[in-house]
Amino acid sequence: MKQAYIRKGNATGNVVLLQTKAQWMEDGNMWIQYISTIPATRTDVINLQDQLDQKLQQRQARMTGICPVRRELYGQCLDELIRQITINCPERGLLLLRIRNELLMTLETHETLYESSVAFGLRKALQGDLEKIHLRNRIHVLEREKSELQNELSKIEAKYEAAEKRAAERKMLDDKRHSEEALVFRKTNQQLKLQLEGIITYRR
């Protein structure tokens, strides 16, 4: 969109300029369009409205939400209205132009903030994805360590059970051997007792 400006005329009624002239190339020729300084009539305003509706339909502008096409067409329409008003009253046109420029600057500021917030959100989302990947890798490492520790624990438990079983078997064998030795000692003691009693009886 062309950058708009106003140059107020002098007391003799110099032309009030609202926009820079339009220039374009067509068929190898340079075309220049100057802004008209003819005061607008009511019919011109009605035609402007019809042209706006027609352009909106032709370029398939969205009627809701953010639409660059709709914004461009309404901006051009506003520039034309300011031009028409400026021809009749330069002071009023200058004020409207200042208001329009302030609105454009505010809108650009909002767009910058929006783009910054989107970029910040994308960075945060990317950071979150990286943290998720890091946490998943950490979980895999911990699960592997857990599995290794469980295997080691199973081996230790198996060794403990085997050692406990061997100790129980050894205790059973020791108990059996002690019982057999005690039985032998009792038999030997009984035999010695009988022999001793026989010797004492014989001497009498």
Side-chain angles (χ1 to χ4, degrees):
M1 186 174 63
K2 306 177 186 66
Q3 297 298 320
Y5 69 95
I6 285 181
R7 186 181 65 199
K8 294 177 61 177
N10 56 23
T12 60
N14 286 343
V15 177
V16 178
L17 298 180
L18 179 62
Q19 291 183 321
T20 57
K21 56 189 176 182
Q23 299 181 5
W24 70 93
M25 294 292 297
E26 183 176 341
D27 297 331
N29 297 319
M30 171 67 73
W31 294 84
I32 301 177
Q33 182 182 23
Y34 292 93
I35 302 302
S36 174
T37 58
I38 301 175
T41 63
R42 184 175 181 273
T43 303
D44 294 331
V45 177
I46 295 175
N47 292 335
L48 178 63
Q49 181 177 354
D50 293 339
Q51 291 176 6
L52 174 62
D53 295 336
Q54 183 180 2
K55 288 292 185 180
L56 289 172
Q57 185 175 4
Q58 288 178 352
R59 300 184 59 179
Q60 299 179 351
R62 295 193 299 269
M63 292 296 101
T64 59
I66 298 175
C67 180
V69 174
R70 189 179 78 246
R71 175 183 171 186
E72 177 187 353
L73 293 177
Y74 272 97
Q76 293 176 0
C77 183
L78 179 60
D79 288 341
E80 173 60 19
L81 290 175
I82 295 176
R83 184 196 69 82
Q84 296 175 4
I85 294 173
T86 303
I87 293 173
N88 296 324
C89 182
E91 291 76 10
R92 185 180 299 170
L94 177 62
L95 182 58
L96 288 175
L97 185 61
R98 289 179 57 187
I99 295 173
R100 190 208 65 170
N101 291 339
E102 178 63 25
L103 292 176
L104 289 177
M105 185 174 61
T106 302
L107 182 59
E108 290 176 356
T109 302
H110 289 169
E111 289 178 346
T112 302
L113 291 175
Y114 172 75
E115 293 173 356
S116 298
S117 63
V118 170
F120 178 78
L122 291 176
R123 288 196 301 270
K124 283 297 182 181
L126 179 59
Q127 183 179 358
D129 292 339
L130 293 177
E131 290 179 355
K132 287 180 181 179
I133 295 175
H134 175 73
L135 290 176
R136 289 194 187 99
N137 294 335
R138 181 60 180 167
I139 289 174
H140 292 160
V141 172
L142 293 176
E143 287 179 346
R144 185 171 62 252
E145 292 179 354
K146 175 185 175 183
S147 178
E148 293 175 354
L149 291 175
Q150 286 178 340
N151 293 334
E152 186 176 354
L153 177 62
S154 298
K155 292 179 181 179
I156 293 175
E157 288 178 346
K159 290 181 180 179
Y160 174 79
E161 291 176 358
E164 197 174 40
K165 183 178 180 180
R166 288 194 298 270
E169 292 175 352
R170 189 180 300 109
K171 183 177 182 299
M172 185 175 62
L173 292 175
D174 292 342
D175 291 342
K176 182 179 180 180
R177 187 176 67 252
H178 292 160
S179 298
E180 292 175 352
E181 290 178 354
L183 180 61
V184 171
F185 288 150
R186 282 197 296 272
K187 288 182 179 180
T188 303
N189 187 31
Q190 186 66 26
Q191 291 175 357
L192 292 175
K193 184 178 180 181
L194 292 175
Q195 291 177 2
L196 181 60
E197 289 176 353
I199 293 174
I200 293 174
T201 302
Y202 176 76
R203 289 182 176 181
R204 289 180 180 176

